Amino acid sequence: MRRTVIVSAVLTAVAAVPLTPLTSFAATPYKGANTAAVQDDFNGDGYRDLAVGAPEAANGSVEAAGSVVVLYGSKSSVSATRRTVITQATSGIPGDPEAWDRFGTTVTSADLDRDGYADLIVGAPDEGVGSAAGRGSVTVVWGGPSGLAGGTSISPPAGYGDGMISCGFGMSLATGDMNGDGAPELSIGSRCDGASYTGPFKRTGQAASDYREWRLGETRGVVMGDVNGDGRAERFWLAGPTDGDLRGPVDLDTGPPLADGGIGNKPIDLPYADGHTGIIGDINGDGYGDLVTGISTDDSMSGGPAGWAHRGGEIQVLYGSAQGITAAQKPKVYHQDTAGVPGTAENGDMFGQSISVGDVNADGYADVLVGSPGEAVGSHQAAGTAVLLRGSASGLTTAKAAGYTQDTAGIPGAVETGDRFGAAVHLADLNKDGKPETIVGVPTENSDGCLWIARGSASGPVLSGSVNVCGKASGITVRGAKGYFGAALPSAHVEV
């Protein structure tokens, strides 16, 4: 079993969150809530919705209880006025808002109960459960014709975290249909064992089956997607930094542990691959999903042994095929010292802290958006940047690569020290025009945190007319600490 290396990072603390009623309705579910086009359609109107974590928002006088704001998609994309704010004080949501639970640290969605509406899945890895401080929790909020309402907790599998007090259950979330029955599976990562659930789910939170992935030990990251073109998702477990591999082992799941407790069927180690977080998309348009992983911690940040990411952070790409992704493959590596990648690799840039994949210009090749929240812009430290790398028939390319900061013409706001533009990134078609919007989280912008949203076009993100959507306007309140709205989006990011 691997032993995790603890990495410390200083993140500005936070506050805030009132409850806002739903303002979006649909008479019947939109068919295909588990397809890529409407994966996040909570109210069945055919438009993807956007879940935004504000994990350190306050609830009343309770600091950092956390919240999730859902912005409903429409022909005009999303706005702060069409929203639902969900906390552990919301009617029907299990648990209670407690200080530093950080509800909303991770968010994703899938139609878990197969009723035609996507369901919201929320991780709160710092929540205490019984005597286990920081055991963590995962909550499902059910979609329906009036939007999100009611919820349940997902219980860890039997034996999870035995003897451990700070597992961080819910540190990462992933969904995908692994057995081809149309019911998505749910995978949950943590500092302890991985947790796997086979759908469909009942409204009680009970899955058709579940198991504990004890053979790997730490499973901080988990990624799901079809990399061999058979219509079924594969699963990759990412341990995070370990004593033997600071860059992070990557393992391909091959099935549950044997009933007799043996180690047969053990996940396959990919010896040339590394990553602390990851996501899957078809970058070269060949019909097979490609695995993109990020390692944002470099030696300057570790405070310990050397051997982390390239200076400033990096991403890696492993390409899918009819054979899937194999142990013999070597990844393509990109960082800010790679020719054509905007910016310059500097200590603590955190390039790869967040990653999203989507075809921003509808050319048939998925593009990769990479957040670098530690990037300095001029004299402003940790102002942050996001870099868009383009997909092509030959794979990920730096041709036409673009970098975005709050100093870029057309992007609202102004560069400020510590804004952390790029702490979370996401590509999603919110207005159903076939071209995903570019969404970048700026969680320490002002006192509440913001998102930058730009519509897609044949030439990429359209900066003119792009908007900021901020936490206070979206329903969170701010007390003594920052709101941290935009710290979590449905795409991948490293939870430190």
Side-chain angles (χ1 to χ4, degrees):
M1 187 175 294
R2 304 180 180 113
R3 191 155 57 96
T4 297
V5 174
I6 302 299
V7 184
S8 61
V10 178
L11 301 180
T12 305
V14 159
V17 94
L19 311 179
T20 306
L22 177 69
T23 59
S24 182
F25 301 90
T28 57
Y30 183 85
K31 293 182 180 179
N34 287 315
T35 67
V38 289
Q39 175 69 35
D40 306 313
D41 185 8
F42 302 118
N43 59 359
D45 64 356
Y47 291 96
R48 295 185 73 164
D49 307 314
L50 180 62
V52 186
E56 295 181 14
N59 190 285
S61 62
V62 182
E63 288 283 6
S67 69
V68 176
V69 179
V70 173
L71 306 174
Y72 288 94
S74 71
K75 187 176 181 179
S76 57
S77 189
V78 296
S79 75
T81 58
R82 300 182 70 251
R83 68 178 188 247
T84 293
V85 181
I86 298 168
T87 76
Q88 287 182 299
T90 301
S91 177
I93 305 303
D96 297 297
E98 299 169 313
W100 301 104
D101 275 355
R102 302 184 73 236
F103 181 86
T105 293
T106 51
V107 292
T108 193
S109 73
D111 183 8
L112 295 182
D113 59 355
R114 298 186 70 185
D115 66 349
Y117 301 94
D119 307 305
L120 173 66
I121 308 164
V122 182
D126 291 328
E127 180 159 20
V129 178
S131 61
R135 198 290 305 270
S137 70
V138 173
T139 301
V140 177
V141 187
W142 303 108
S146 297
L148 293 159
T152 190
S153 296
I154 301 295
S155 298
Y160 174 85
D162 282 353
M164 305 291 287
I165 62 172
S166 186
C167 283
F169 184 68
M171 179 177 285
S172 60
L173 305 168
T175 62
D177 183 5
M178 298 183 70
N179 56 15
D181 66 353
E185 276 62 65
L186 170 64
S187 304
I188 300 174
S190 72
R191 287 182 289 269
C192 297
D193 306 324
S196 171
Y197 302 83
T198 299
F201 287 70
K202 296 180 179 179
R203 285 287 178 114
T204 60
Q206 181 181 357
S209 64
D210 64 54
Y211 71 86
R212 178 172 62 95
E213 182 46 84
W214 54 266
R215 296 165 295 182
L216 295 175
E218 306 86 9
T219 53
R220 293 187 178 201
V222 59
V223 189
M224 297 178 73
D226 181 9
V227 298
N228 62 6
D230 66 354
R232 303 181 182 189
E234 282 71 51
R235 175 167 51 214
F236 299 84
W237 295 105
L238 282 61
T242 69
D243 280 349
D245 186 352
L246 297 176
R247 297 162 63 82
V250 179
D251 289 270
L252 171 62
D253 190 290
T254 60
L258 300 178
D260 63 5
I263 61 172
N265 225 26
K266 184 179 179 181
I268 298 170
D269 178 55
L270 304 182
Y272 301 109
D274 309 287
H276 297 166
T277 191
I279 196 166
I280 290 172
D282 187 4
I283 294 169
N284 57 5
D286 63 357
Y288 304 106
D290 308 311
L291 174 64
V292 186
T293 60
I295 316 162
S296 59
T297 304
D298 63 23
D299 289 351
S300 73
M301 302 170 61
S302 70
W308 298 75
H310 181 90
R311 184 183 185 189
E314 67 185 73
I315 65 168
Q316 300 186 0
V317 183
L318 285 164
Y319 291 96
S321 69
Q323 292 73 45
I325 291 174
T326 68
Q329 285 181 250
K330 295 184 179 181
K332 298 288 186 180
V333 180
Y334 300 82
H335 42 68
Q336 288 182 299
D337 279 337
T338 301
V341 175
T344 302
E346 299 167 312
N347 289 344
D349 281 348
M350 302 186 75
F351 183 83
Q353 163 78 15
S354 57
I355 317 169
S356 190
V357 177
D359 186 1
V360 298
N361 57 355
D363 65 353
Y365 305 104
D367 309 302
V368 179
L369 184 64
V370 184
S372 184
E375 178 91 6
V377 180
S379 62
H380 298 284
Q381 298 297 312
T385 187
V387 171
L388 182 65
L389 303 176
R390 299 303 185 94
S392 72
S394 59
L396 195 62
T397 175
T398 61
K400 299 183 180 179
Y404 306 97
T405 74
Q406 289 183 300
D407 221 11
T408 303
I411 295 181
V415 167
E416 297 170 306
T417 297
D419 276 353
R420 294 180 57 80
F421 183 91
V425 296
H426 190 46
L427 297 170
D429 184 6
L430 304 174
N431 60 4
K432 210 164 62 169
D433 68 352
K435 303 176 185 69
E437 275 77 17
T438 295
I439 306 153
V440 178
V442 200
T444 43
E445 171 85 5
N446 301 326
S447 64
D448 49 351
C450 298
L451 299 176
W452 170 59
I453 304 175
R455 65 181 177 86
S457 75
S459 58
V462 179
L463 306 191
S464 176
S466 64
V467 299
N468 275 352
V469 177
C470 297
K472 288 181 181 179
S474 299
I476 75 167
T477 56
V478 175
R479 290 175 56 83
K482 293 199 174 208
Y484 235 58
F485 177 82
L489 294 167
S491 292
H493 73 282
V494 177
E495 176 54 30
V496 292

